Amino acid sequence: HVQLVESGGGSVQAGGSLRLSCVASGSHYGSYCMGWFRQGEGKEREGVAAIAPNDKTAYADSVKGRFTISKDNAKTTLLLQLNSLKPADTAMHYCAADYGLQRPHLPASWYTVWGQGTQVTV
C-alpha cells in the first residue's frame, strides 16, 4: 500500500509552466497505475493524465500536447509537466494510484489511493 504526497503547485501567468511531483512511499510502487486528477471550484474531479505499470499513458483531450506525465522509478516519484497553462487549468491537482489497474484509466473512480492535493492557479 502506497502513500502519496504532492508538491509543485503555485500561481503562474497564462502561458507559463509548472512541474508537479508526487512522491510515493510504500511497497510495489512500480506495480501501481498512477494518475493526475484535478478539481476546480464547483466542478467534479476529472482525470488529467495516467500512466500504467507498463508506461502506457493517457491524457484528457483538454491537456494533450501541453501536459506530460512521467515516472522516476528510482525516486518513486510521479511527475506532471504543465506547459502553456490556461486559466481553465486552475484547480486543485491530485495524485492517485491503484494496484490492480493495468491500463492508464482516467476516471477518478478507478483509483483507491489519493494524495492531499496541490493547488495550481493560472
Side-chain angles (χ1 to χ4, degrees):
H1 191 76
V2 295
Q3 293 181 318
L4 306 172
V5 179
E6 303 98 328
S7 63
S11 295
V12 296
Q13 293 185 342
S17 298
L18 284 172
R19 191 187 197 199
L20 306 184
S21 296
C22 172
V23 177
S25 60
S27 59
H28 306 297
Y29 167 77
S31 299
Y32 280 77
C33 184
M34 308 287 293
W36 286 98
F37 302 81
R38 66 186 182 187
Q39 187 166 15
E41 191 169 348
K43 298 182 180 179
E44 292 187 358
R45 191 169 297 189
E46 63 174 350
V48 174
I51 185 165
N54 62 3
D55 291 339
K56 286 189 176 180
T57 59
Y59 294 91
D61 288 343
S62 59
V63 306
K64 281 181 181 176
R66 299 189 299 123
F67 293 7
T68 303
I69 190 170
S70 62
K71 291 191 298 184
D72 182 340
N73 287 334
K75 298 180 180 180
T76 63
T77 301
L78 180 71
L79 303 170
L80 186 68
Q81 180 67 39
L82 298 76
N83 296 330
S84 302
L85 282 161
K86 305 174 181 179
D89 296 317
T90 295
M92 183 70 78
H93 284 65
Y94 299 89
C95 170
D98 189 88
Y99 187 70
L101 296 178
Q102 295 301 311
R103 295 181 180 181
H105 294 281
L106 288 178
S109 59
W110 286 89
Y111 293 79
T112 55
V113 182
W114 290 85
Q116 84 289 349
T118 185
Q119 178 69 33
V120 172
T121 302
V122 184

